[in-house]
Amino acid sequence: MEGRILIVDDDPVVREVLDQIIARVAAQKPDVARDGMEGLQKAQENDYDIIFTDLKMPRLGGMDFLKEIKKIRPDISVVVITGFPTVENAVSAMKEGADDFITKPFSIDAVQNVIGRLQGARKLSRESGGQNLSPESVKRLNSDLFSKIQKINLLHSVSSELDGISSNLEVYEKVVGMTSKLLFAREVSFGIVESGYLKIKKSKGTGESDVPIAGSFLEKVIRNGRHYLAPAGEINPHSGNLLTAPMLSIPFSINGEVYGILSASDKTDGTCFSEDEIGLVLTFAKKVGLRIENNALYDVFYSSMVSALKSLVISIEARDSYTKQHSERVTGYALQIAEVMNLSQEEKDAIGFGGYLHDIGKIGVRDKVLTKPGVLDDDELAEIKLHPIIGDNIMAPLRFLPREKALIRHHHERFDGKGYPDGLAGEQIPIIVRILSVADTYDAMTSVRPYRSAKPHQSAMKELIRCSNTQFDGEVVQAFIRTPAGKGVKLTTP
Ligand SMILES: [Fe+2]
């Protein structure tokens, strides 16, 4: 049979999907092989035009398979199948002689385009009587491929940038910038669906005012959950005027519910968005959507965890009437110091949460010891001193909160290295911990204890200054002096 196709992949699902797509777009049943060895054997026995091959396979991997095929049958076109994150591999495969590549998950359009392009190239080659093609023909054949590689590389580099972003506002900013680059679009916006409006969060080349959804094609995009390419002449929902160029709108959804829309229009070269370009932005949008969803889930998870752990701390403090609201006050003082010291938002957030939890390990200390009126003996002191380690163990499953965990484990370290449990000194102790330590001691001194009355503000401050650069970081004590609490203003707790 002329123009036969072979699929080489060890994943039966990939083989099956590709098999069905090829059956549809090339009207033939392709052959399949489960790894490079079997592929090589089949290629020697049969006459194929195009081979689709995976890169990671047992026995003979895709790169070696490609090299072997190009040695024995240089006339066969080889298409590399690659996952999105490993697109660099596809580029190296191209250098080794692969003719094209497709990224998983496949779209029918992408497979059809690849087959069409390769068959076109083979036809040209046959017409030239097997002679080498002219440089112009080669250039023409390759220009599509080069722009495809360029775009996919751009897409890959920016989407890996998304990985480190935990704020959705930053994600929206990236989406708009990236879409404008990918589509060469002058007008791009990203908005959130809220109370009948698309509330624009970020835009480029277009207004930022809310867009009414009712009666516009955005209604259709939300209802169908599918992208829509509005032709010139339709009403632009953003401006209310007629569109002078097509506008592409892509929905973002969680659990089937559309919550946001990305819109782009007005290509710099005046052309319409191609199928390829739309496909590329849809892939990108899928990745961005996952990042937004993760961020949202993280926020929900974080706030419910914060309230659960706060109730736990309240129950611990309820055991000991003398430490009531201690954690809350300590957090308040520490946040004031963090403000004066210009700490980052992430560090302030860690204090806001970790400050509440710093004594959570006291849950593992016996009531008898925790609430003992009077001086503790050596054994009791040793038991109390375990609370930072117990707290650290309680938080151990929460691997993603390293700053908060440091607050819990190290809040009894001293600047001179004589504290516990690890004897860290100076800058080995993170700044937020050095801050919490000052706040914690100030509150302990100015609160009533069963065995002593509360120290007045001024003498507590004198004590902090006296212990500067031994127990405490002197800079933190100086910063505390500049806060309202350090000046003697009482902290109001809600
Ligand atoms: Fe403590």
Side-chain angles (χ1 to χ4, degrees):
M1 198 211 299
E2 208 195 33
R4 284 176 66 182
I5 296 175
L6 171 68
I7 302 167
V8 187
D9 200 309
D10 57 325
D11 183 338
V13 178
V14 173
R15 287 200 303 265
E16 176 67 25
V17 171
L18 202 50
D19 179 279
Q20 285 187 16
I21 295 179
I22 291 171
R24 199 163 139 189
V25 303
Q28 64 161 288
K29 176 105 189 100
D31 270 356
V32 290
R34 281 159 300 184
D35 57 41
M37 288 301 255
E38 193 182 342
L40 212 51
Q41 198 182 347
K42 289 203 164 173
Q44 278 161 338
E45 292 163 2
N46 300 282
D47 198 15
Y48 298 112
D49 263 4
I50 302 174
I51 297 178
F52 285 85
T53 179
D54 188 17
L55 285 175
K56 269 180 95 176
M57 292 181 291
R59 299 211 293 168
L60 184 65
M63 285 300 251
D64 292 329
F65 170 69
L66 169 69
K67 283 180 203 160
E68 287 304 311
I69 285 288
K70 287 291 169 187
K71 247 187 256 165
I72 58 168
R73 290 289 309 274
D75 57 313
I76 298 180
S77 305
V78 179
V79 180
V80 167
I81 303 168
T82 175
F84 182 68
T86 51
V87 82
E88 289 97 340
N89 294 344
V91 175
S92 357
M94 304 293 289
K95 287 184 190 145
E96 290 294 337
D99 297 82
D100 206 334
F101 66 94
I102 50 169
T103 48
K104 290 182 270 193
F106 318 118
S107 74
I108 294 179
D109 280 346
V111 177
Q112 190 163 29
N113 284 347
V114 165
I115 294 177
R117 196 185 75 79
L118 293 176
Q119 280 173 342
R122 301 181 71 80
K123 193 163 165 252
L124 262 179
S125 169
R126 270 198 301 274
E127 282 168 6
S128 69
Q131 300 296 306
N132 286 341
L133 293 171
S134 68
E136 287 73 28
S137 314
V138 174
K139 208 172 152 190
R140 198 170 58 244
L141 282 171
N142 281 333
S143 72
D144 282 356
L145 193 56
F146 281 134
S147 77
K148 183 173 160 185
I149 292 175
Q150 258 177 354
K151 279 193 172 168
I152 213 138
N153 269 338
L154 180 66
L155 183 56
H156 180 244
S157 69
V158 175
S159 63
S160 56
E161 274 177 44
L162 281 175
D163 288 345
I165 302 180
S166 58
S167 124
N168 275 350
L169 270 180
E170 263 180 80
V171 176
Y172 304 149
E173 199 174 327
K174 279 262 187 266
V175 176
V176 168
M178 177 69 182
T179 306
S180 159
K181 258 193 219 166
L182 280 173
L183 293 178
F184 305 104
R186 283 197 195 96
E187 293 182 5
V188 183
S189 70
F190 184 85
I192 295 289
V193 178
E194 210 180 292
S195 330
Y197 285 88
L198 188 66
K199 307 222 163 176
I200 304 301
K201 297 291 176 187
K202 193 74 208 169
S203 68
K204 191 182 167 200
T206 175
E208 296 234 327
S209 47
D210 298 347
V211 181
I213 293 168
S216 75
F217 64 73
L218 296 177
E219 224 173 6
K220 188 158 55 179
V221 173
I222 293 170
R223 194 175 49 243
N224 300 340
R226 277 185 57 78
H227 69 278
Y228 177 69
L229 185 63
E234 269 202 48
I235 292 176
N236 181 345
H238 294 254
S239 64
N241 302 325
L242 294 183
L243 282 168
T244 50
M247 177 180 266
L248 175 67
S249 289
I250 298 174
F252 283 64
S253 37
I254 294 180
N255 292 333
E257 186 114 350
V258 173
Y259 64 86
I261 294 178
L262 170 70
S263 294
S265 75
D266 198 9
K267 277 189 76 176
T268 48
D269 61 0
T271 60
C272 185
F273 301 118
S274 72
E275 277 293 312
D276 265 0
E277 285 170 331
I278 295 174
L280 203 61
V281 174
L282 286 177
T283 311
F284 171 60
K286 213 178 265 177
K287 246 193 123 63
V288 172
L290 280 177
R291 167 55 48 196
I292 294 175
E293 197 173 335
N294 279 344
N295 287 349
L297 284 177
Y298 181 81
D299 287 348
V300 170
F301 174 63
Y302 191 87
S303 61
S304 50
M305 189 175 61
V306 169
S307 56
L309 289 172
K310 273 185 184 170
S311 346
L312 185 60
V313 169
I314 290 168
S315 73
I316 298 166
E317 291 182 348
R319 289 163 67 196
D320 176 5
S321 57
Y322 291 98
T323 60
K324 230 175 221 164
Q325 293 177 333
H326 163 71
S327 302
E328 193 169 318
R329 285 191 305 268
V330 170
T331 306
Y333 298 138
L335 284 174
Q336 287 188 5
I337 303 173
E339 191 64 42
V340 168
M341 296 189 82
N342 262 332
L343 258 56
S344 69
Q345 193 53 49
E346 285 81 10
E347 288 169 315
K348 287 181 196 164
D349 288 348
I351 291 176
F353 182 29
Y356 268 96
L357 303 179
H358 73 278
D359 272 341
I360 200 166
K362 284 192 176 163
I363 202 168
V365 178
R366 287 174 302 153
D367 271 354
K368 199 179 110 196
V369 178
L370 194 66
T371 60
K372 181 176 173 183
V375 182
L376 301 174
D377 65 30
D378 285 354
D379 285 350
E380 289 163 343
L381 205 59
E383 184 170 340
I384 278 273
K385 281 186 165 184
L386 284 177
H387 79 273
I389 299 173
I390 298 171
D392 191 22
N393 286 339
I394 292 173
M395 298 292 283
L398 307 176
R399 283 194 197 100
F400 53 94
L401 296 173
R403 289 191 177 99
E404 285 84 344
K405 283 167 69 184
L407 280 175
I408 293 166
R409 186 174 178 97
H410 298 302
H411 70 276
H412 286 289
E413 305 285 1
R414 289 171 51 119
F415 198 60
D416 57 12
K418 292 180 182 160
Y420 62 91
D422 298 315
L424 301 185
E427 297 202 347
Q428 285 179 317
I429 309 167
I431 182 66
I432 54 171
V433 182
R434 282 178 264 150
I435 289 175
L436 194 91
S437 156
V438 169
D440 191 18
T441 312
Y442 172 79
D443 189 66
M445 287 193 288
T446 51
S447 304
V448 181
R449 283 288 184 268
Y451 46 91
R452 63 156 171 77
S453 55
K455 250 191 202 343
H457 167 75
Q458 280 308 333
S459 45
M461 292 310 286
K462 265 190 201 153
E463 186 63 12
L464 291 180
I465 294 166
R466 190 181 68 81
C467 299
S468 282
N469 298 325
T470 50
Q471 186 172 349
F472 309 113
D473 178 348
E475 277 181 40
V476 175
V477 174
Q478 287 308 310
F480 187 41
I481 292 169
R482 303 207 303 275
T483 65
K487 290 185 185 117
V489 179
K490 272 242 176 291
L491 192 82
T492 46
T493 48

